[in-house]
């Protein structure tokens, strides 16, 4: 076939090819518009979901704060003694999750063991604040790694922290003025 024949054949079929391309372009534009519309609807639904998650987080934090206050009061009134605290400390010491990543490191693991070996009468506010920092590191680690044992352990550690605060307050040791309890 000669070049002239090929060109003339293409020219005769050009309207058909142009029509097919135009149909494809219109189809693709409509699909893109449909997907964009669906995505915008999804984004608006996710925005509502984020506000609900914030509300749930605030509610859970309020519940945790209430439970901590209740535990501290029970310790202060003598309803929970050093024996219960030592039992919880022992449980926490032997069940410490293994350190594996960037937040909950080997150093944090070892420091947690040291803090958990302290007698309730030896505790200081600095120890409590350090336990709270370790709790926060466990939560950060859980969020990143999704290791559920970290979240469960952090919850138990929070109970020990509340009891430790109660023992300090029972001994009449008030927190530093610049640190909230």
């Amino acid at each position: 076939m000669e070049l002239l024949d090929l060109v003339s054949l293409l020219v005769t079929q050009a309207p058909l090819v142009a029509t097919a391309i135009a149909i494809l372009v219109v189809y693709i534009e409509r699909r893109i518009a449909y997907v964009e519309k669906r995505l915008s609807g999804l984004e608006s639904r996710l925005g509502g979901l984020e506000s609900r998650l914030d509300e749930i987080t605030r509610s859970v934090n309020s519940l945790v704060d209430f439970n901590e206050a209740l535990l501290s009061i029970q310790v202060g009134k003598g309803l929970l003694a050093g024996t219960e605290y030592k039992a919880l400390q022992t449980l926490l010491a032997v069940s410490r999750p293994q350190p594996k990543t960037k937040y909950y490191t080997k150093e944090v693991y070892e420091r947690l063991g040291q803090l958990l070996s302290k007698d309730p009468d030896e505790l200081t506010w600095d120890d409590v604040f350090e336990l709270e920092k370790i709790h926060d590191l466990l939560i950060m680690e859980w969020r990143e790694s999704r290791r559920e044992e970290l979240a469960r352990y952090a919850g138990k550690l929070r109970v020990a922290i509340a009891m430790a605060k109660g023992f300090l307050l029972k001994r009449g040791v008030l927190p530093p003025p610049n640190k909230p309890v």
Side-chain angles (χ1 to χ4, degrees), residues 34-136:
Y34 173 76
V35 168
E36 285 175 346
K37 181 179 173 185
R38 296 286 297 206
L39 284 176
S40 68
L42 185 61
E43 285 174 357
S44 66
R45 278 192 260 162
L46 284 177
L49 233 158
E50 286 177 15
S51 67
R52 280 186 249 155
L53 284 175
D54 288 343
E55 185 178 323
I56 290 169
T57 301
R58 282 192 303 276
S59 298
V60 167
N61 287 338
S62 296
L63 184 60
V64 167
D65 291 344
F66 174 78
N67 285 332
E68 284 183 4
L70 185 61
L71 277 170
S72 293
I73 290 169
Q74 288 177 337
V75 168
K77 289 187 172 196
L79 298 173
L80 294 171
T83 309
E84 287 87 1
Y85 182 73
K86 285 304 276 180
L88 180 59
Q89 274 184 313
T90 303
L91 170 71
L92 289 171
V94 298
S95 66
R96 282 180 297 163
Q98 290 300 310
K100 292 185 181 174
T101 51
K102 66 182 180 182
Y103 300 113
Y104 182 60
T105 62
K106 185 171 174 61
E107 293 79 18
V108 173
Y109 172 85
E110 289 171 359
R111 183 61 182 143
L112 178 59
Q114 293 168 356
L115 291 168
L116 290 173
S117 66
K118 282 193 165 190
D119 190 74
D121 294 329
E122 298 172 351
L123 290 170
T124 66
W125 281 106
D126 287 337
D127 296 333
V128 169
F129 297 141
E130 199 168 351
L131 285 170
E132 287 177 333
K133 286 178 188 172
I134 291 172
H135 170 270
D136 293 343

Side-chain angles (χ1 to χ4, degrees), residues 5-22:
D5 292 334
L6 183 62
V7 171
S8 80
L9 182 63
L10 285 176
V11 169
T12 58
Q13 294 195 9
L16 182 58
V17 171
T19 305
I21 290 174

